[in-house]
Amino acid sequence: MKKGIHPENYRMVAFKDMSNEDVFLTRSTVDTKETLDVDGVAYPLVKLEISRTSHPFYTGKSKLIDAAGRIDKFKNKYAKFKKE
């Protein structure tokens, strides 16, 4: 491996899934200003929208998306630009 191309600042970081409040620790070099106390130790915090504990592929649960409502909103929004 080439020397000097890999970061040196690996440390333990807390990743928090905001959809289900799951927290897991792993080593990372990510920069963050927030911290989170886990078992009395303050770790840098990275907030996630989705993780392995909330993703439908891993959980086996799918979420129903209101596609019809979204399509209707789109059509109504851009109806004024329709050429006649």
Side-chain angles (χ1 to χ4, degrees):
M1 290 182 7
K2 291 184 179 181
K3 294 188 188 279
I5 62 170
H6 299 286
E8 298 291 331
N9 61 341
Y10 280 101
R11 68 201 185 289
M12 293 301 289
V13 176
F15 287 85
K16 183 175 182 180
D17 186 338
M18 300 309 289
S19 65
N20 63 3
E21 304 297 318
D22 182 51
V23 176
F24 60 93
L25 299 172
T26 189
R27 291 175 47 94
S28 178
T29 62
V30 67
D31 290 328
T32 181
K33 297 192 185 322
E34 296 181 80
T35 61
L36 178 71
D37 285 337
V38 179
D39 298 328
V41 179
Y43 294 103
L45 173 65
V46 176
K47 294 179 180 179
L48 304 172
E49 294 297 320
I50 194 162
S51 71
R52 59 181 168 74
T53 59
S54 61
H55 194 282
F57 179 80
Y58 296 107
T59 62
K61 298 176 186 174
S62 62
K63 294 181 182 177
L64 181 61
I65 297 174
D66 182 23
R70 291 172 55 194
I71 293 169
D72 290 338
K73 285 181 190 176
F74 178 84
K75 287 181 179 178
N76 290 337
K77 183 177 181 179
Y78 292 100
K80 60 185 172 188
F81 298 112
K82 187 176 180 181
K83 293 181 181 178
E84 295 179 23

